[in-house]
Amino acid sequence: EVQLVQSGAEVKKPGESLKISCKGSGYSFTSYWIGWVRQMPGKGLEWMGIIYPGDSDTRYSPSFQGQVTISADKSISTAYLQWSSLKASDTAMYYCARRVRKDYYDSWGQGTLVTVSS
Amino acid sequence: DIVMTQTPLSSPVTLGQPASISCRSSQSLVHSDGNTYLSWLQQRPGQPPRLLIYKISNRFSGVPDRFSGSGAGTDFTLKISRVEAEDVGVYYCMQATQFPHIFGPGTKVDIK
């Protein structure tokens, strides 16, 4: 069974750094893209970027380029989303999702809630 | 970037009645390989999104056949033939034809 398990909820202060994770299991981790999606409170889904763990090819939405870093450690089948300096506006639920070939996102993590507050 | 729009943004429906959601892209979603990477996702309250339809009209595994997708080019439609209580949630179209991938704004479906 394909599973994406995300790290737990985080509460941080503005200016702090953070790295959240998404661990894949039940499939060949290096053969599928992993995307990250933001959902701010009460709002819609926003595509942030994507990584192909096989060769670390990474693409970002222009809205998030330079604001976050996406990475992966294929030795432990885990993708990451990180911030170097959080803002209150980063408060949101973050989802990872597996992309099949050039097509759809079929499996989603349970989400990681990030709260940034002084 | 491609812009995705959806109408309506809210759709109160009667149980057992049909529902229809329209999705439009600002440019053609036909990929150079001839496929159109337009999918539909459902997000129930408090849940992560769930894939319903991919490549315009292909139902994903386990999705009830009351869900169907159609369209081409820049105009797409998701239809629910008979709405059930478990269909309450927000529905998103999404294009994955080119980077950045883009979601539509979402259509909230609830029961009258």
Side-chain angles (χ1 to χ4, degrees), chain A residues 65-86:
Chain A
Q65 179 87 48
Q67 308 304 308
V68 297
T69 301
I70 294 171
S71 60
D73 184 340
K74 57 188 179 184
S75 70
I76 55 171
S77 301
T78 301
Y80 301 97
L81 177 66
Q82 69 181 78
W83 296 258
S84 58
S85 180
L86 286 159

Side-chain angles (χ1 to χ4, degrees), chain A residues 38-46 64 88-94:
Chain A
R38 182 175 79 174
Q39 187 166 40
M40 298 177 78
K43 302 299 184 185
L45 305 174
E46 299 174 271
F64 292 95
S89 57
D90 293 317
T91 294
M93 182 71 82
Y94 293 87

Side-chain angles (χ1 to χ4, degrees), chain A residues 11-83:
Chain A
V11 179
K12 292 289 192 178
K13 290 182 168 36
E16 291 186 332
S17 63
L18 176 64
K19 192 173 189 177
I20 63 175
S21 66
C22 170
K23 183 173 176 59
S25 63
Y27 72 99
S28 173
F29 185 73
T30 54
S31 300
Y32 293 81
W33 294 84
I34 293 284
W36 286 95
V37 174
R38 182 175 79 174
Q39 187 166 40
M40 298 177 78
K43 302 299 184 185
L45 305 174
E46 299 174 271
W47 188 84
M48 302 176 72
I50 197 169
I51 187 166
Y52 189 76
D55 62 6
S56 294
D57 184 7
T58 308
R59 313 294 177 94
Y60 292 93
S61 164
S63 299
F64 292 95
Q65 179 87 48
Q67 308 304 308
V68 297
T69 301
I70 294 171
S71 60
D73 184 340
K74 57 188 179 184
S75 70
I76 55 171
S77 301
T78 301
Y80 301 97
L81 177 66
Q82 69 181 78
W83 296 258

Side-chain angles (χ1 to χ4, degrees), chain A residues 33 37 39 43-48 50 59-63 95 99 101-111, chain B residues 1 31 33 37-39 41 43 46-51 54-55 60 92 94 96-97 99-105:
Chain A
W33 294 84
V37 174
Q39 187 166 40
K43 302 299 184 185
L45 305 174
E46 299 174 271
W47 188 84
M48 302 176 72
I50 197 169
R59 313 294 177 94
Y60 292 93
S61 164
S63 299
Y95 294 102
R99 183 192 187 199
R101 294 183 291 277
K102 292 183 291 186
D103 205 338
Y104 49 86
Y105 291 78
D106 68 335
S107 296
W108 290 71
Q110 82 277 20
Chain B
D1 295 354
H31 192 277
D33 65 8
Y37 296 111
L38 185 283
S39 58
L41 301 100
Q43 188 176 31
Q47 297 292 315
R50 166 198 177 203
L51 177 67
Y54 64 96
K55 280 195 291 200
F60 189 59
Y92 298 91
M94 178 192 186
T97 291
F99 291 120
H101 298 168
I102 303 287
F103 293 95

